[in-house]
Amino acid sequence: MNVLTVIVHFFQQGGVFMYPIALVLLAVVAVSAERLLFLLTAEREHRALLTALAPLMARGDLPAIDALLAASPAAIARVLEGAIDRARVDSRRSELEIATEQGLMDVLPAFESRTHYLATLSNMSTLLGLLGTVLGLIGAFAALGAADPAQKADLLSSGVSEAMNCTAFGLMVAIPALFLHAHMQSRTTRLIDSLESVCSRFVSAISGRPPVRTAAA
């Protein structure tokens, strides 16, 4: 209870700019949770698909690969399906590389979207904290002009304390947001590199083979 009281007192002493910083904090939490859930799901689906796909690529079992890709929810499966479709017409390596590059261009924006918001929100939090501090100091010094000389020291101390609370809260939000931005970017980069590696190995496995025919053909 004492901790909660301290937090509430700290928030109340920070002035009106504590509220927009609190909204930024909520946005950071929402974006981070959504991105983390998306990336964790994508990583799990990618690992599951790669585990099942590796032995099939080693055997060159194209019908089994086609069936596996059709059943997989992983984004990379859609990319590789595009390569299989192209292989039905032309299995040259250059053609398959074009197909996978086009497929990656379609799916990569979903992996990279909204992560950059975290850096923007970090900057917003810092700037809002500084703005609240500057306006708080302006108000504190303006109040000193009309204050009783005996109260000036107390008023100045109270005004500076309020202004510093706003800066502190802004930095408390900005620093974790910046860390989360770096973490999400790192995870996204690793996942994208893994997708590109799978595409390269897949192209090597099926290029040069006779065109793939469907069962109906």
Short mmCIF file of all heavy atoms in Angstrom, two decimals, residues 62-125:
data_model
loop_
_atom_site.label_atom_id
_atom_site.label_comp_id
_atom_site.label_asym_id
_atom_site.label_seq_id
_atom_site.Cartn_x
_atom_site.Cartn_y
_atom_site.Cartn_z
N LEU A 62 8.95 -33.54 -53.93
CA LEU A 62 8.16 -32.35 -54.24
C LEU A 62 6.67 -32.50 -53.94
O LEU A 62 6.06 -31.56 -53.42
CB LEU A 62 8.38 -31.96 -55.71
CG LEU A 62 9.82 -31.56 -56.07
CD1 LEU A 62 9.91 -31.20 -57.54
CD2 LEU A 62 10.29 -30.41 -55.21
N PRO A 63 6.03 -33.63 -54.23
CA PRO A 63 4.61 -33.74 -53.87
C PRO A 63 4.38 -33.61 -52.37
O PRO A 63 3.43 -32.96 -51.93
CB PRO A 63 4.24 -35.14 -54.38
CG PRO A 63 5.21 -35.41 -55.48
CD PRO A 63 6.48 -34.79 -55.04
N ALA A 64 5.26 -34.23 -51.56
CA ALA A 64 5.11 -34.11 -50.10
C ALA A 64 5.37 -32.69 -49.64
O ALA A 64 4.70 -32.17 -48.73
CB ALA A 64 6.06 -35.08 -49.40
N ILE A 65 6.34 -32.02 -50.26
CA ILE A 65 6.62 -30.62 -49.92
C ILE A 65 5.42 -29.75 -50.24
O ILE A 65 5.02 -28.90 -49.45
CB ILE A 65 7.86 -30.12 -50.70
CG1 ILE A 65 9.14 -30.79 -50.18
CG2 ILE A 65 7.99 -28.60 -50.59
CD1 ILE A 65 10.37 -30.47 -50.99
N ASP A 66 4.83 -29.98 -51.39
CA ASP A 66 3.65 -29.21 -51.80
C ASP A 66 2.51 -29.39 -50.80
O ASP A 66 1.85 -28.42 -50.40
CB ASP A 66 3.21 -29.66 -53.20
CG ASP A 66 2.42 -28.60 -53.92
OD1 ASP A 66 2.31 -27.48 -53.39
OD2 ASP A 66 1.91 -28.88 -55.02
N ALA A 67 2.28 -30.62 -50.36
CA ALA A 67 1.20 -30.89 -49.39
C ALA A 67 1.50 -30.25 -48.05
O ALA A 67 0.60 -29.69 -47.38
CB ALA A 67 1.02 -32.39 -49.23
N LEU A 68 2.76 -30.29 -47.62
CA LEU A 68 3.15 -29.70 -46.35
C LEU A 68 2.96 -28.19 -46.35
O LEU A 68 2.43 -27.61 -45.40
CB LEU A 68 4.61 -30.05 -46.03
CG LEU A 68 5.20 -29.42 -44.77
CD1 LEU A 68 4.48 -29.95 -43.53
CD2 LEU A 68 6.69 -29.71 -44.68
N LEU A 69 3.37 -27.55 -47.43
CA LEU A 69 3.24 -26.09 -47.53
C LEU A 69 1.77 -25.67 -47.53
O LEU A 69 1.40 -24.66 -46.92
CB LEU A 69 3.92 -25.58 -48.80
CG LEU A 69 5.44 -25.78 -48.89
CD1 LEU A 69 5.97 -25.26 -50.21
CD2 LEU A 69 6.14 -25.07 -47.72
N ALA A 70 0.93 -26.45 -48.21
CA ALA A 70 -0.49 -26.11 -48.27
C ALA A 70 -1.15 -26.19 -46.90
O ALA A 70 -2.10 -25.44 -46.60
CB ALA A 70 -1.20 -27.04 -49.25
N ALA A 71 -0.64 -27.08 -46.03
CA ALA A 71 -1.25 -27.26 -44.71
C ALA A 71 -0.65 -26.34 -43.65
O ALA A 71 -1.21 -26.24 -42.55
CB ALA A 71 -1.09 -28.72 -44.28
N SER A 72 0.46 -25.69 -43.95
CA SER A 72 1.15 -24.89 -42.93
C SER A 72 0.59 -23.47 -42.85
O SER A 72 0.34 -22.84 -43.89
CB SER A 72 2.64 -24.84 -43.24
OG SER A 72 3.30 -23.96 -42.35
N PRO A 73 0.42 -22.93 -41.62
CA PRO A 73 -0.02 -21.54 -41.48
C PRO A 73 1.13 -20.54 -41.54
O PRO A 73 0.90 -19.33 -41.50
CB PRO A 73 -0.66 -21.53 -40.09
CG PRO A 73 0.14 -22.54 -39.32
CD PRO A 73 0.51 -23.62 -40.32
N ALA A 74 2.38 -21.01 -41.64
CA ALA A 74 3.54 -20.11 -41.61
C ALA A 74 3.57 -19.23 -42.85
O ALA A 74 3.21 -19.64 -43.95
CB ALA A 74 4.82 -20.93 -41.52
N ALA A 75 4.03 -17.98 -42.65
CA ALA A 75 4.11 -17.04 -43.76
C ALA A 75 5.08 -17.53 -44.83
O ALA A 75 4.84 -17.36 -46.03
CB ALA A 75 4.54 -15.67 -43.24
N ILE A 76 6.16 -18.16 -44.41
CA ILE A 76 7.15 -18.64 -45.37
C ILE A 76 6.58 -19.71 -46.28
O ILE A 76 7.03 -19.89 -47.42
CB ILE A 76 8.40 -19.17 -44.63
CG1 ILE A 76 9.54 -19.48 -45.61
CG2 ILE A 76 8.05 -20.40 -43.81
CD1 ILE A 76 10.02 -18.28 -46.38
N ALA A 77 5.54 -20.41 -45.81
CA ALA A 77 4.92 -21.44 -46.64
C ALA A 77 4.30 -20.82 -47.89
O ALA A 77 4.35 -21.40 -48.97
CB ALA A 77 3.86 -22.20 -45.84
N ARG A 78 3.72 -19.61 -47.73
CA ARG A 78 3.14 -18.94 -48.90
C ARG A 78 4.22 -18.56 -49.90
O ARG A 78 4.01 -18.61 -51.11
CB ARG A 78 2.38 -17.68 -48.45
CG ARG A 78 1.39 -17.87 -47.30
CD ARG A 78 0.14 -18.63 -47.73
NE ARG A 78 0.36 -20.06 -47.82
CZ ARG A 78 0.41 -20.87 -46.75
NH1 ARG A 78 0.28 -20.41 -45.53
NH2 ARG A 78 0.60 -22.18 -46.92
N VAL A 79 5.39 -18.17 -49.38
CA VAL A 79 6.50 -17.81 -50.27
C VAL A 79 6.97 -19.03 -51.05
O VAL A 79 7.17 -18.98 -52.27
CB VAL A 79 7.67 -17.22 -49.45
CG1 VAL A 79 8.86 -16.91 -50.37
CG2 VAL A 79 7.23 -15.96 -48.71
N LEU A 80 7.15 -20.14 -50.34
CA LEU A 80 7.63 -21.36 -50.99
C LEU A 80 6.59 -21.94 -51.93
O LEU A 80 6.94 -22.57 -52.95
CB LEU A 80 8.04 -22.38 -49.94
CG LEU A 80 9.15 -21.92 -48.97
CD1 LEU A 80 9.52 -23.06 -48.03
CD2 LEU A 80 10.36 -21.42 -49.74
N GLU A 81 5.32 -21.76 -51.63
CA GLU A 81 4.27 -22.21 -52.55
C GLU A 81 4.38 -21.46 -53.87
O GLU A 81 4.14 -22.04 -54.94
CB GLU A 81 2.89 -21.98 -51.94
CG GLU A 81 2.47 -23.04 -50.94
CD GLU A 81 1.06 -22.83 -50.43
OE1 GLU A 81 0.64 -21.66 -50.29
OE2 GLU A 81 0.37 -23.83 -50.19
N GLY A 82 4.76 -20.17 -53.80
CA GLY A 82 4.95 -19.41 -55.03
C GLY A 82 6.09 -19.99 -55.86
O GLY A 82 6.01 -20.04 -57.09
N ALA A 83 7.15 -20.44 -55.17
CA ALA A 83 8.26 -21.07 -55.88
C ALA A 83 7.83 -22.40 -56.50
O ALA A 83 8.23 -22.73 -57.63
CB ALA A 83 9.43 -21.29 -54.92
N ILE A 84 7.02 -23.18 -55.79
CA ILE A 84 6.50 -24.44 -56.34
C ILE A 84 5.65 -24.16 -57.58
O ILE A 84 5.75 -24.86 -58.59
CB ILE A 84 5.68 -25.19 -55.28
CG1 ILE A 84 6.59 -25.75 -54.19
CG2 ILE A 84 4.86 -26.30 -55.91
CD1 ILE A 84 7.41 -26.95 -54.61
N ASP A 85 4.80 -23.13 -57.50
CA ASP A 85 3.97 -22.78 -58.66
C ASP A 85 4.84 -22.40 -59.86
O ASP A 85 4.53 -22.77 -61.00
CB ASP A 85 3.04 -21.63 -58.30
CG ASP A 85 1.95 -22.06 -57.32
OD1 ASP A 85 1.69 -23.27 -57.22
OD2 ASP A 85 1.38 -21.17 -56.65
N ARG A 86 5.91 -21.65 -59.60
CA ARG A 86 6.79 -21.27 -60.70
C ARG A 86 7.53 -22.51 -61.25
O ARG A 86 7.76 -22.62 -62.46
CB ARG A 86 7.81 -20.24 -60.20
CG ARG A 86 8.76 -19.71 -61.27
CD ARG A 86 8.01 -18.93 -62.35
NE ARG A 86 7.37 -17.76 -61.79
CZ ARG A 86 7.96 -16.56 -61.68
NH1 ARG A 86 9.19 -16.39 -62.12
NH2 ARG A 86 7.30 -15.54 -61.16
N ALA A 87 7.89 -23.43 -60.34
CA ALA A 87 8.60 -24.64 -60.78
C ALA A 87 7.74 -25.52 -61.67
O ALA A 87 8.26 -26.30 -62.45
CB ALA A 87 9.06 -25.43 -59.55
N ARG A 88 6.42 -25.39 -61.54
CA ARG A 88 5.54 -26.17 -62.42
C ARG A 88 5.67 -25.72 -63.88
O ARG A 88 5.37 -26.48 -64.79
CB ARG A 88 4.09 -26.03 -61.97
CG ARG A 88 3.77 -26.71 -60.65
CD ARG A 88 2.27 -26.77 -60.41
NE ARG A 88 2.00 -27.58 -59.24
CZ ARG A 88 1.73 -27.10 -58.03
NH1 ARG A 88 1.71 -25.79 -57.83
NH2 ARG A 88 1.50 -27.90 -57.02
N VAL A 89 6.13 -24.49 -64.05
CA VAL A 89 6.29 -23.94 -65.40
C VAL A 89 7.74 -23.93 -65.83
O VAL A 89 8.08 -24.30 -66.96
CB VAL A 89 5.71 -22.51 -65.45
CG1 VAL A 89 5.90 -21.90 -66.84
CG2 VAL A 89 4.25 -22.51 -65.05
N ASP A 90 8.61 -23.48 -64.92
CA ASP A 90 10.03 -23.33 -65.26
C ASP A 90 10.83 -23.49 -63.97
O ASP A 90 10.68 -22.70 -63.04
CB ASP A 90 10.28 -21.95 -65.87
CG ASP A 90 11.68 -21.82 -66.45
OD1 ASP A 90 12.56 -22.62 -66.08
OD2 ASP A 90 11.89 -20.89 -67.26
N SER A 91 11.66 -24.53 -63.91
CA SER A 91 12.39 -24.82 -62.68
C SER A 91 13.82 -24.28 -62.68
O SER A 91 14.64 -24.71 -61.88
CB SER A 91 12.41 -26.33 -62.41
OG SER A 91 13.08 -27.02 -63.46
N ARG A 92 14.12 -23.35 -63.59
CA ARG A 92 15.44 -22.75 -63.57
C ARG A 92 15.65 -21.95 -62.29
O ARG A 92 14.71 -21.33 -61.77
CB ARG A 92 15.64 -21.85 -64.78
CG ARG A 92 15.81 -22.58 -66.10
CD ARG A 92 15.96 -21.61 -67.24
NE ARG A 92 14.78 -20.76 -67.37
CZ ARG A 92 14.71 -19.70 -68.19
NH1 ARG A 92 15.76 -19.37 -68.92
NH2 ARG A 92 13.59 -18.99 -68.24
N ARG A 93 16.88 -21.94 -61.78
CA ARG A 93 17.18 -21.28 -60.51
C ARG A 93 16.82 -19.79 -60.54
O ARG A 93 16.27 -19.27 -59.58
CB ARG A 93 18.66 -21.47 -60.18
CG ARG A 93 19.02 -20.92 -58.80
CD ARG A 93 20.50 -21.05 -58.51
NE ARG A 93 20.78 -20.61 -57.15
CZ ARG A 93 20.76 -21.40 -56.09
NH1 ARG A 93 20.50 -22.68 -56.23
NH2 ARG A 93 21.02 -20.92 -54.89
N SER A 94 17.13 -19.13 -61.64
CA SER A 94 16.85 -17.70 -61.72
C SER A 94 15.35 -17.42 -61.58
O SER A 94 14.95 -16.45 -60.93
CB SER A 94 17.37 -17.14 -63.04
OG SER A 94 16.77 -17.80 -64.15
N GLU A 95 14.53 -18.28 -62.19
CA GLU A 95 13.08 -18.08 -62.10
C GLU A 95 12.57 -18.33 -60.68
O GLU A 95 11.70 -17.61 -60.19
CB GLU A 95 12.38 -19.03 -63.08
CG GLU A 95 12.63 -18.71 -64.53
CD GLU A 95 12.07 -17.36 -64.91
OE1 GLU A 95 10.97 -17.02 -64.45
OE2 GLU A 95 12.75 -16.62 -65.66
N LEU A 96 13.12 -19.34 -60.03
CA LEU A 96 12.69 -19.64 -58.66
C LEU A 96 13.15 -18.55 -57.70
O LEU A 96 12.43 -18.21 -56.75
CB LEU A 96 13.24 -21.00 -58.23
CG LEU A 96 12.80 -22.20 -59.08
CD1 LEU A 96 13.39 -23.48 -58.52
CD2 LEU A 96 11.29 -22.28 -59.16
N GLU A 97 14.32 -17.99 -57.91
CA GLU A 97 14.78 -16.90 -57.06
C GLU A 97 13.88 -15.67 -57.20
O GLU A 97 13.58 -15.00 -56.21
CB GLU A 97 16.23 -16.53 -57.41
CG GLU A 97 17.23 -17.57 -56.93
CD GLU A 97 18.65 -17.24 -57.37
OE1 GLU A 97 18.81 -16.39 -58.28
OE2 GLU A 97 19.59 -17.84 -56.81
N ILE A 98 13.45 -15.39 -58.40
CA ILE A 98 12.52 -14.27 -58.62
C ILE A 98 11.21 -14.53 -57.88
O ILE A 98 10.65 -13.63 -57.24
CB ILE A 98 12.27 -14.08 -60.13
CG1 ILE A 98 13.54 -13.57 -60.82
CG2 ILE A 98 11.11 -13.11 -60.36
CD1 ILE A 98 13.43 -13.50 -62.33
N ALA A 99 10.72 -15.76 -57.95
CA ALA A 99 9.46 -16.10 -57.28
C ALA A 99 9.57 -15.94 -55.76
O ALA A 99 8.66 -15.40 -55.12
CB ALA A 99 9.06 -17.54 -57.63
N THR A 100 10.69 -16.40 -55.18
CA THR A 100 10.84 -16.28 -53.73
C THR A 100 11.04 -14.82 -53.31
O THR A 100 10.54 -14.39 -52.27
CB THR A 100 12.01 -17.13 -53.23
OG1 THR A 100 13.22 -16.77 -53.93
CG2 THR A 100 11.72 -18.60 -53.41
N GLU A 101 11.75 -14.05 -54.12
CA GLU A 101 11.94 -12.63 -53.80
C GLU A 101 10.61 -11.90 -53.82
O GLU A 101 10.33 -11.06 -52.94
CB GLU A 101 12.91 -12.00 -54.79
CG GLU A 101 14.36 -12.43 -54.59
CD GLU A 101 15.27 -11.92 -55.70
OE1 GLU A 101 14.77 -11.18 -56.58
OE2 GLU A 101 16.47 -12.27 -55.68
N GLN A 102 9.78 -12.19 -54.79
CA GLN A 102 8.46 -11.57 -54.86
C GLN A 102 7.61 -11.99 -53.67
O GLN A 102 6.88 -11.17 -53.09
CB GLN A 102 7.78 -11.94 -56.17
CG GLN A 102 8.43 -11.31 -57.40
CD GLN A 102 7.82 -11.80 -58.70
OE1 GLN A 102 7.15 -12.85 -58.74
NE2 GLN A 102 8.05 -11.07 -59.78
N GLY A 103 7.69 -13.26 -53.30
CA GLY A 103 6.93 -13.73 -52.14
C GLY A 103 7.39 -13.08 -50.86
O GLY A 103 6.56 -12.70 -50.01
N LEU A 104 8.70 -12.93 -50.67
CA LEU A 104 9.22 -12.27 -49.48
C LEU A 104 8.77 -10.82 -49.41
O LEU A 104 8.48 -10.30 -48.32
CB LEU A 104 10.75 -12.36 -49.45
CG LEU A 104 11.33 -13.73 -49.10
CD1 LEU A 104 12.84 -13.73 -49.30
CD2 LEU A 104 10.99 -14.11 -47.66
N MET A 105 8.74 -10.15 -50.54
CA MET A 105 8.28 -8.75 -50.56
C MET A 105 6.84 -8.63 -50.10
O MET A 105 6.44 -7.60 -49.53
CB MET A 105 8.44 -8.18 -51.96
CG MET A 105 9.89 -7.94 -52.36
SD MET A 105 10.05 -7.36 -54.08
CE MET A 105 9.16 -5.80 -53.99
N ASP A 106 6.06 -9.68 -50.32
CA ASP A 106 4.65 -9.65 -49.89
C ASP A 106 4.50 -9.88 -48.38
O ASP A 106 3.61 -9.31 -47.75
CB ASP A 106 3.86 -10.71 -50.64
CG ASP A 106 3.69 -10.37 -52.12
OD1 ASP A 106 3.76 -9.18 -52.46
OD2 ASP A 106 3.50 -11.30 -52.93
N VAL A 107 5.36 -10.73 -47.79
CA VAL A 107 5.17 -11.10 -46.39
C VAL A 107 6.02 -10.29 -45.41
O VAL A 107 5.65 -10.16 -44.24
CB VAL A 107 5.45 -12.61 -46.17
CG1 VAL A 107 4.55 -13.45 -47.07
CG2 VAL A 107 6.91 -12.94 -46.41
N LEU A 108 7.14 -9.73 -45.85
CA LEU A 108 8.04 -9.04 -44.92
C LEU A 108 7.42 -7.79 -44.28
O LEU A 108 7.71 -7.52 -43.11
CB LEU A 108 9.35 -8.67 -45.62
CG LEU A 108 10.27 -9.83 -45.96
CD1 LEU A 108 11.61 -9.32 -46.48
CD2 LEU A 108 10.48 -10.74 -44.75
N PRO A 109 6.59 -7.00 -44.98
CA PRO A 109 6.00 -5.84 -44.30
C PRO A 109 5.24 -6.18 -43.02
O PRO A 109 5.24 -5.40 -42.08
CB PRO A 109 5.07 -5.26 -45.37
CG PRO A 109 5.71 -5.63 -46.66
CD PRO A 109 6.29 -7.00 -46.42
N ALA A 110 4.62 -7.35 -42.97
CA ALA A 110 3.90 -7.75 -41.77
C ALA A 110 4.85 -7.96 -40.59
O ALA A 110 4.49 -7.71 -39.44
CB ALA A 110 3.10 -9.03 -42.03
N PHE A 111 6.08 -8.40 -40.86
CA PHE A 111 7.06 -8.61 -39.80
C PHE A 111 7.66 -7.29 -39.31
O PHE A 111 8.03 -7.17 -38.15
CB PHE A 111 8.18 -9.54 -40.29
CG PHE A 111 7.74 -10.94 -40.56
CD1 PHE A 111 7.35 -11.33 -41.82
CD2 PHE A 111 7.71 -11.87 -39.53
CE1 PHE A 111 6.94 -12.63 -42.07
CE2 PHE A 111 7.30 -13.18 -39.77
CZ PHE A 111 6.92 -13.55 -41.04
N GLU A 112 7.77 -6.32 -40.18
CA GLU A 112 8.45 -5.07 -39.85
C GLU A 112 7.50 -3.97 -39.40
O GLU A 112 7.96 -2.95 -38.88
CB GLU A 112 9.24 -4.59 -41.07
CG GLU A 112 10.33 -5.58 -41.50
CD GLU A 112 10.97 -5.20 -42.82
OE1 GLU A 112 10.28 -4.55 -43.64
OE2 GLU A 112 12.14 -5.54 -43.04
N SER A 113 6.20 -4.14 -39.60
CA SER A 113 5.26 -3.06 -39.29
C SER A 113 5.15 -2.81 -37.79
O SER A 113 5.32 -3.72 -36.97
CB SER A 113 3.87 -3.41 -39.85
OG SER A 113 3.33 -4.53 -39.18
N ARG A 114 4.90 -1.54 -37.46
CA ARG A 114 4.63 -1.03 -36.10
C ARG A 114 5.83 -1.06 -35.16
O ARG A 114 5.78 -0.39 -34.13
CB ARG A 114 3.44 -1.77 -35.47
CG ARG A 114 2.12 -1.40 -36.08
CD ARG A 114 0.97 -2.09 -35.39
NE ARG A 114 0.93 -3.51 -35.67
CZ ARG A 114 0.44 -4.05 -36.79
NH1 ARG A 114 -0.02 -3.28 -37.74
NH2 ARG A 114 0.43 -5.36 -36.97
N THR A 115 6.89 -1.80 -35.47
CA THR A 115 8.04 -1.81 -34.56
C THR A 115 8.65 -0.41 -34.43
O THR A 115 9.07 -0.01 -33.34
CB THR A 115 9.10 -2.80 -35.06
OG1 THR A 115 8.53 -4.11 -35.10
CG2 THR A 115 10.31 -2.82 -34.13
N HIS A 116 8.68 0.34 -35.54
CA HIS A 116 9.29 1.67 -35.50
C HIS A 116 8.51 2.63 -34.61
O HIS A 116 9.05 3.66 -34.19
CB HIS A 116 9.39 2.23 -36.92
CG HIS A 116 8.05 2.44 -37.58
ND1 HIS A 116 7.33 1.40 -38.14
CD2 HIS A 116 7.30 3.55 -37.74
CE1 HIS A 116 6.20 1.87 -38.64
NE2 HIS A 116 6.15 3.17 -38.41
N TYR A 117 7.24 2.30 -34.31
CA TYR A 117 6.47 3.17 -33.42
C TYR A 117 7.11 3.27 -32.04
O TYR A 117 6.97 4.28 -31.35
CB TYR A 117 5.03 2.64 -33.27
CG TYR A 117 4.17 2.77 -34.50
CD1 TYR A 117 3.05 1.98 -34.68
CD2 TYR A 117 4.47 3.69 -35.50
CE1 TYR A 117 2.26 2.09 -35.81
CE2 TYR A 117 3.69 3.80 -36.63
CZ TYR A 117 2.59 3.00 -36.78
OH TYR A 117 1.80 3.11 -37.90
N LEU A 118 7.79 2.20 -31.62
CA LEU A 118 8.39 2.21 -30.28
C LEU A 118 9.46 3.28 -30.16
O LEU A 118 9.57 3.94 -29.12
CB LEU A 118 8.96 0.83 -29.96
CG LEU A 118 7.93 -0.29 -29.80
CD1 LEU A 118 8.63 -1.64 -29.68
CD2 LEU A 118 7.05 -0.04 -28.59
N ALA A 119 10.26 3.46 -31.20
CA ALA A 119 11.28 4.52 -31.17
C ALA A 119 10.62 5.89 -31.15
O ALA A 119 11.06 6.80 -30.42
CB ALA A 119 12.20 4.39 -32.38
N THR A 120 9.54 6.05 -31.92
CA THR A 120 8.82 7.32 -31.94
C THR A 120 8.20 7.61 -30.57
O THR A 120 8.27 8.74 -30.07
CB THR A 120 7.72 7.29 -33.01
OG1 THR A 120 8.32 7.04 -34.29
CG2 THR A 120 6.97 8.61 -33.06
N LEU A 121 7.60 6.60 -29.97
CA LEU A 121 6.99 6.78 -28.65
C LEU A 121 8.04 7.09 -27.59
O LEU A 121 7.78 7.87 -26.66
CB LEU A 121 6.21 5.52 -28.27
CG LEU A 121 4.95 5.25 -29.11
CD1 LEU A 121 4.40 3.86 -28.83
CD2 LEU A 121 3.88 6.30 -28.83
N SER A 122 9.23 6.50 -27.70
CA SER A 122 10.31 6.80 -26.77
C SER A 122 10.70 8.28 -26.85
O SER A 122 10.84 8.96 -25.83
CB SER A 122 11.51 5.92 -27.07
OG SER A 122 12.61 6.25 -26.25
N ASN A 123 10.83 8.78 -28.08
CA ASN A 123 11.16 10.20 -28.25
C ASN A 123 10.05 11.10 -27.75
O ASN A 123 10.30 12.14 -27.13
CB ASN A 123 11.44 10.49 -29.73
CG ASN A 123 12.73 9.87 -30.22
OD1 ASN A 123 13.66 9.68 -29.44
ND2 ASN A 123 12.78 9.52 -31.49
N MET A 124 8.80 10.71 -28.01
CA MET A 124 7.66 11.50 -27.54
C MET A 124 7.66 11.60 -26.02
O MET A 124 7.42 12.67 -25.46
CB MET A 124 6.35 10.87 -28.03
CG MET A 124 6.05 11.08 -29.49
SD MET A 124 4.50 10.28 -29.97
CE MET A 124 3.34 11.11 -28.88
N SER A 125 7.91 10.48 -25.36
CA SER A 125 7.90 10.47 -23.90
C SER A 125 8.98 11.40 -23.34
O SER A 125 8.73 12.17 -22.41
CB SER A 125 8.12 9.04 -23.40
OG SER A 125 8.20 9.01 -22.00
#
